[in-house]
């Protein structure tokens, strides 16, 4: 394959990825807004459960396929949320850095989220201000696979006006 043809293929794939992310954000955000508007807190519970289970399933599948056996906070950071080269979910489309990491805590700084712009443009964040709180319940589904005693909270959030997001996992006494 020539360099020019290779570059064209890369551009095509990047445009496809960008389009897919934008469509995903529009669809998922729109569905969540409709569910929350119709069902309120019950809808929020349904969304959180569905997102948690989907992310847990994807992580378990990937861990099994890759033969990962490490557990704990550092395994969560290494395999679930690596700053580069993720193999779990859509983590690879974010700009991430590990802000804090020890055996009982993990703070992940998200400098760029590809979905926030779409949610804001469509007014979804105005309709569901806690959208990211609902969706990041999936990150607890990821973490339970590696470190069942950790629980994540979103302490900073771009869709709430912060310049970046902070996902903060802390060890809790009881697992799910």
């Amino acid at each position: 394959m020539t360099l020019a043809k290779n570059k064209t293929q890369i551009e095509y794939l990047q445009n496809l990825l960008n389009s897919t992310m934008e469509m995903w954000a529009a669809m998922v955000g729109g569905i969540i807004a409709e569910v929350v508007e119709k069902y309120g807190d019950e809808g929020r519970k349904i969304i959180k459960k569905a997102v948690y289970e989907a992310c847990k399933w994807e992580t378990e599948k990937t861990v099994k396929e890759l033969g990962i056996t490490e557990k704990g906070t550092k395994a969560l950071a290494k395999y679930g949320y690596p700053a580069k080269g993720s193999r779990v979910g859509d983590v690879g489309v974010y700009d991430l850095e590990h802000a804090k990491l020890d055996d009982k805590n993990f703070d992940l700084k998200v400098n760029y989220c590809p979905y926030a712009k779409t949610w804001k443009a469509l007014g979804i964040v105005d309709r569901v201000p806690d959208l990211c709180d609902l969706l990041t319940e999936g990150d607890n589904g990821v973490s339970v696979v590696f470190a069942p005693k950790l629980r994540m909270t979103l302490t900073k959030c771009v869709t709430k006006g912060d310049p970046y997001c902070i996902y903060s996992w802390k060890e809790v006494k009881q697992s799910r």
Side-chain angles (χ1 to χ4, degrees):
M1 189 178 271
T2 68
L3 186 59
K5 196 172 189 179
N6 197 17
K7 184 178 177 186
T8 301
Q9 181 68 13
I10 290 169
E11 288 172 358
Y12 168 77
L13 292 173
Q14 185 61 55
N15 289 335
L16 182 61
L17 175 62
N18 292 344
S19 175
T20 300
M21 288 186 304
E22 188 173 64
M23 181 58 73
W24 180 91
M27 285 189 309
V28 170
I31 291 167
I32 288 171
E34 293 294 327
V35 169
V36 167
E37 288 169 350
K38 183 163 183 162
Y39 299 104
D41 287 341
E42 187 61 28
R44 284 178 168 87
K45 288 179 191 173
I46 291 166
I47 292 162
K48 285 177 134 183
K49 183 179 187 308
V51 171
Y52 175 91
E53 293 298 332
C55 292
K56 181 180 177 213
W57 169 79
E58 175 66 23
T59 304
E60 289 171 335
K61 182 174 72 89
T62 302
V63 164
K64 184 178 179 182
E65 287 171 0
L66 297 176
I68 298 168
T69 58
E70 294 174 58
K71 297 291 182 188
T73 308
K74 292 178 181 173
L76 172 64
K78 180 178 178 181
Y79 299 110
Y81 299 91
K84 301 254 187 272
S86 177
R87 297 281 308 265
V88 176
D90 64 348
V91 173
V93 301
Y94 296 89
D95 176 13
L96 309 173
E97 63 183 89
H98 297 170
K100 177 181 180 181
L101 179 59
D102 61 40
D103 290 336
K104 296 183 180 187
N105 304 281
F106 174 34
D107 285 356
L108 180 70
K109 183 178 179 186
V110 180
N111 296 302
Y112 170 75
C113 169
Y115 309 121
K117 180 180 172 185
T118 302
W119 293 331
K120 287 179 181 180
L122 293 174
I124 294 168
V125 173
D126 294 332
R127 293 168 63 193
V128 186
D130 61 339
L131 176 68
C132 291
D133 296 302
L134 299 174
L135 286 170
T136 57
E137 183 62 22
D139 296 286
N140 281 310
V142 173
S143 64
V144 74
V145 175
F146 293 103
K149 293 182 180 180
L150 293 182
R151 180 83 179 137
M152 194 281 298
T153 55
L154 190 60
T155 60
K156 289 193 179 288
C157 183
V158 169
T159 62
K160 294 180 181 179
D162 294 312
Y164 50 83
C165 299
I166 296 287
Y167 294 42
S168 185
W169 283 270
K170 307 257 183 259
E171 191 171 284
V172 294
K173 293 182 190 224
Q174 223 173 0
S175 65
R176 291 188 166 243

